Amino acid sequence: MYYLGLDIGSSSIKIALVETDTGKSVGVVQEPETEMSMLAIKNGWAEQNPEDWWGHACLGIKRLIKTHDISSEEIIGIGISYQMHGLVVVDADNKVLRNSIIWCDSRAVPIGQKAFEVIGEEKCSEYLLNSPSNFTASKLKWVKDNEPDIFSKIHKFMLPGDYIAMRFSGKINTTVSGLSEGIFWDFKKKEIASFLMDYYGLDASLVPDIVETFGIQSRVDAKGASESGLQVGTPILYRAGDQPNNALSLNVFNPGEVAATGGTSGVVYAVTNSLSVKESARVNNFAHVNYSPGNDSRIGKLLCINGSGIQYRWLLNNLDVASYDEMNKLAEEVPVGSDGVVIIPFGNGAERMLNNQEVGTRLLNINLNNHGKGHLCRAALEGIAFSFVYGMEIMESDGIEVNVMRAGNDNLFRSKIFSETVATLIGYDIEIYNTTGAIGAARAGLLKDGDYEVFGKAIIENDYIMTFKPLRNKAEYQRAYQLWKKELEITINYI
C-alpha cells in the first residue's frame, strides 16, 4: 500500500509515492516537465490559474500510477504541501472567480503596512505574531477594494493547498497552520483574528471550516476520482505550507530543531515554543504543523534569505565554468577567508532580514594580480554561508535555542565548504537528508495516529546521508566572518 504526496509549487507540481509500512520513496514525478508560467499584468504582480495546478496534479498522479504499475486501490492516503500565502477565491458552486494571487505578488504591501500602523505594532505582534504585511488576508482586502464585483460573489477564500483538497473532495476546509500563514489566526485568543477581519471588512463566513493538520480531513468524491484517477473514498490525511512541510520532511518538530534550505533563496525555519516577537520585522512566525490551540504552542520562525543560491548560479553562468562541481573544486584550492575577498550576496531584491533594504551583490577586496576564479567561488560560498549565520544570530536574539540543523541535499548543502562554514560558526551539527516536499507530504500519512517515533525512524532509515560537524579550529572562520560582517555593516550604513 502507498501514500501519495503532492507539492503544489509555483514552478511545478511534484507528486510522490511512499510505502505505507516503511515510508520508503517509490517514485517522484514532476508536471509540467518545464516550468509553469506566471501572469504579471503589472510590475510586482504574480498570478496563476488554480485550474492549471489541478490539471498538472491529475496528469502527474496518472503518470506515477502507470510508471510504477500499481492500482489506484493501493493508494490509501493523500498528503498535500503547497506554496504559502497564496489566495484562491471561489463562488457558492466552488468555481474559481479569478486567478490566484500567489506568494511573490506584492500588490497588497501598502494595505498590510497601513493595517500594521493603524492597528498598532504592539497588538499585531502580540496577537498575530506578525505584521499583516503582504500575506493572504491583505490580498483578500485588495480584491475587496479593487474588484468589488468579484468580491461580492466570494463564498470562501482558500490557500493553494485548500483548493487542491477541494478539487479532490468537493469540501472546503483549512488548518490552523494555514490560517496563521495567511495572518488570519489570533495566537493570544486562539481563534480567528476577528479584529483584523473587522478592520479589513471581511465577514467570518468567508473562512473555511477548520480541520486538524493530521488525520482524515476529507475524502475523494466521485468527481475528484474521475479526474485524478484515484479511488472514491481515498482520505486526505495531511496539509501544510511548503516551509512547515519542509521542516516536517526533515523531522523538525521540537524546540531546538532547525530546518534549512539552500535553493535560489535560502530559508531557516526554527521550531520554538516561545511567542517572542522581538524580531517580527525581520522574522515571520507561523503555527507549525504540530501546533495545537489547546496545549502545544509549537511556532515555526521563518527567516528568508533572497540572495542565496541565485548568487552561486550567477557565477556559474558568468565565470566560464562547466558545473557547480568545477566551481567547488576551484574553491577548495583557496584558503578559508578567500585571501580577503568578500562577496555580499544580496542581489535578489530587498532583504527582509536587513530591514527590507536592497543591498545588492557586492564584490570587495579584489587584488587584480593575485585573485582569480577560485577566490570568487570560495568568497561566494562563504558569503552565502555567512548570510545564513547572520540570520541565525537574528533568530537567536529572538529566543531561539538550537541544537541541530537539518537540510535537504540541495546544491549549497552538498558543498563541503558551505556546510562546514555554517556548522563551524553556529556551533552545531548540520544533518543532510535526501528528501523532497512531495515525499514529506506523502510520508505524513504515517502521522495520522500521532506516532512521531515511527515517522522519524522512516526518515533516518530512508533519507539520511551525512552530518557536517563544527570544526575544532574556528578562529580562521570567525576572522573571515567578522570581516564579511564589517563590510556588510559598512554597506548598510552607506545606503
Side-chain angles (χ1 to χ4, degrees):
M1 297 296 180
Y2 305 94
Y3 292 128
L4 179 82
L6 297 99
D7 186 7
I8 312 300
S10 52
S11 298
S12 66
I13 313 299
K14 296 182 178 67
I15 306 100
L17 276 177
V18 303
E19 295 176 351
T20 58
D21 54 347
T22 65
K24 180 181 177 182
S25 172
V26 174
V28 180
V29 300
Q30 173 180 306
E31 286 286 345
E33 294 185 9
T34 55
E35 193 168 303
M36 285 192 297
S37 62
M38 294 183 194
L39 180 64
I41 300 170
K42 297 182 180 180
N43 289 340
W45 289 24
E47 299 183 357
Q48 289 182 320
N49 185 348
E51 296 277 357
D52 292 342
W53 305 334
W54 175 244
H56 292 311
C58 291
L59 285 173
I61 292 168
K62 291 170 184 174
R63 181 153 66 96
L64 198 58
I65 289 173
K66 183 178 180 180
T67 299
H68 295 280
D69 193 25
I70 65 169
S71 163
S72 60
E73 294 177 354
E74 295 175 272
I75 297 173
I76 62 170
I78 303 165
I80 302 170
S81 168
Y82 59 88
Q83 48 175 300
M84 296 174 74
H85 317 309
L87 172 70
V88 180
V89 289
V90 296
D91 64 15
D93 296 320
N94 292 352
K95 299 297 184 184
V96 174
L97 291 167
R98 69 172 327 281
N99 283 338
S100 172
I101 303 175
I102 65 172
W103 64 277
C104 52
D105 185 292
S106 59
R107 75 185 72 181
V109 169
I111 292 172
Q113 184 57 37
K114 184 179 178 182
F116 194 46
E117 293 168 0
V118 173
I119 295 171
E121 180 176 349
E122 184 176 345
K123 183 162 187 176
C124 288
S125 296
E126 185 177 356
Y127 287 77
L128 304 174
L129 306 188
N130 297 282
S131 161
S133 191
N134 189 39
F135 296 117
T136 313
S138 300
K139 291 169 180 170
L140 184 56
K141 168 65 170 170
W142 184 92
V143 175
K144 181 177 185 291
D145 291 347
N146 294 275
E147 299 174 342
D149 290 345
I150 289 175
F151 185 82
S152 68
K153 298 173 186 175
I154 296 176
H155 171 57
K156 298 287 181 183
F157 73 81
M158 286 178 279
L159 297 156
D162 302 333
Y163 171 78
I164 295 299
M166 183 270 287
R167 291 302 302 264
F168 276 122
S169 67
K171 295 185 181 299
I172 299 176
N173 50 42
T174 193
T175 65
V176 169
S177 180
L179 289 171
S180 79
E181 76 176 68
I183 317 300
F184 291 101
W185 188 250
D186 184 328
F187 283 91
K188 190 167 185 179
K189 293 186 176 181
K190 299 181 179 179
E191 62 185 26
I192 300 298
S194 57
F195 71 92
L196 181 66
M197 296 284 286
D198 291 344
Y199 173 79
Y200 278 165
L202 305 174
D203 193 272
S205 64
L206 297 175
V207 181
D209 294 337
I210 300 174
V211 294
E212 297 291 334
T213 300
F214 303 103
I216 298 175
Q217 299 175 347
S218 58
R219 293 181 181 274
V220 175
D221 66 6
K223 189 171 188 294
S226 67
E227 294 177 4
S228 70
L230 297 179
Q231 288 290 304
V232 172
T234 307
I236 297 170
L237 298 173
Y238 163 79
R239 193 180 322 162
D242 51 14
Q243 293 306 326
N245 179 73
N246 180 62
L248 169 138
S249 304
L250 294 165
N251 198 31
V252 169
F253 295 103
N254 302 306
E257 298 171 347
V258 173
T261 59
T264 299
S265 58
V267 172
V268 179
Y269 184 96
V271 176
T272 179
N273 54 10
S274 166
L275 297 181
S276 168
V277 288
K278 177 184 174 184
E279 295 289 356
S280 62
R282 300 197 279 179
V283 178
N284 295 129
N285 301 272
F286 306 119
H288 192 33
V289 293
N290 56 343
Y291 171 92
S292 168
N295 55 22
D296 189 3
S297 297
R298 289 291 191 266
I299 305 299
K301 287 186 175 290
L302 188 155
L303 179 137
C304 184
I305 306 163
N306 291 335
S308 182
I310 192 171
Q311 175 69 69
Y312 213 43
R313 188 174 69 201
W314 185 89
L315 281 181
L316 175 67
N317 293 336
N318 289 278
L319 272 188
D320 189 28
V321 290
S323 66
Y324 288 119
D325 284 341
E326 182 181 346
M327 291 172 66
N328 290 341
K329 288 175 183 175
L330 287 168
E332 287 168 3
E333 296 172 0
V334 175
V336 175
S338 307
D339 283 336
V341 177
V342 168
I343 290 183
I344 295 173
F346 303 125
N348 191 27
E351 290 285 352
R352 191 165 190 264
M353 77 169 184
L354 302 179
N355 294 308
N356 290 316
Q357 293 190 82
E358 193 155 347
V359 171
T361 283
R362 307 282 172 129
L363 173 58
L364 304 164
N365 306 334
I366 284 283
N367 183 307
L368 300 177
N369 296 307
N370 300 326
H371 296 143
K373 290 181 184 178
H375 294 87
L376 296 179
C377 293
R378 176 139 202 151
L381 283 173
E382 290 182 335
I384 301 164
F386 294 155
S387 70
F388 272 73
V389 176
Y390 189 84
M392 288 303 304
E393 289 178 353
I394 293 170
M395 298 187 84
E396 287 172 354
S397 74
D398 203 17
I400 291 294
E401 294 182 3
V402 181
N403 54 47
V404 66
M405 176 182 281
R406 298 188 179 117
N409 189 31
D410 52 36
N411 284 334
L412 283 176
F413 282 98
R414 281 196 205 109
S415 164
K416 183 178 179 181
I417 290 173
F418 175 82
S419 291
E420 284 189 347
T421 299
V422 175
T424 300
L425 287 168
I426 62 180
Y428 43 85
D429 292 354
I430 299 178
E431 298 173 359
I432 307 297
Y433 294 84
N434 188 25
T435 189
T436 69
I439 292 171
R443 196 176 280 151
L446 296 169
L447 286 168
K448 64 184 185 299
D449 299 319
D451 195 333
Y452 288 88
E453 186 175 341
V454 169
F455 181 84
K457 184 180 179 184
I459 290 176
I460 292 291
E461 291 181 352
N462 290 298
D463 300 341
Y464 174 76
I465 296 176
M466 64 181 299
T467 297
F468 289 99
K469 292 187 172 293
L471 301 178
R472 291 183 179 180
N473 181 12
K474 297 183 178 183
E476 55 189 353
Y477 289 89
Q478 289 170 334
R479 282 194 297 271
Y481 175 58
Q482 291 306 318
L483 173 61
W484 179 90
K485 193 173 178 180
K486 178 183 176 183
E487 297 285 12
L488 174 62
E489 289 170 351
I490 290 170
T491 299
I492 290 172
N493 291 332
Y494 175 76
I495 293 173

